Amino acid sequence: GRTMIARTGHAALRKALYMPGMVALRHNPALKVFGERMRSNGLAPKAVIGAVMRKLVHLIYGVIKSGKSFDAEIPLKGLAIQDGI
């Protein structure tokens, strides 16, 4: 199932990802679109940041696993499929 970075989870991880999540929400094209979609679905502002933090973890894992540098076009293609654009 889907899991969020919960209060009962890893506090140091949440603390480490909070500011990068806020910056990514504002400046990363893929995460900006993702955050706007979460907001339009009625998610609370802090919950949107939490969702972006979780998405950042997935993007970081993908970069590490693939060994390739981050390409903003890849997550945007995935969003296009999800949003029907």
Side-chain angles (χ1 to χ4, degrees):
R2 282 187 78 136
T3 57
M4 296 291 287
I5 299 177
R7 283 189 198 129
T8 57
H10 201 287
L13 182 61
R14 275 196 322 277
K15 188 175 182 179
L17 288 172
Y18 187 77
M19 283 310 271
M22 298 226 352
V23 171
L25 187 56
R26 185 168 290 172
H27 299 288
N28 182 306
L31 294 177
K32 186 183 280 194
V33 171
F34 175 73
E36 288 168 1
R37 189 177 77 227
M38 295 291 106
R39 266 190 226 105
S40 70
N41 287 342
L43 216 60
K46 281 202 175 180
V48 171
I49 295 168
V52 169
M53 288 163 49
R54 184 172 189 274
K55 193 64 87 171
L56 262 179
V57 170
H58 287 255
L59 293 174
I60 292 165
Y61 179 79
V63 167
I64 291 169
K65 192 76 172 165
S66 71
K68 297 178 183 173
S69 58
F70 177 72
D71 179 2
E73 294 300 315
I74 293 171
L76 282 172
K77 288 176 188 169
L79 285 173
I81 292 168
Q82 292 174 8
D83 293 338
I85 46 178

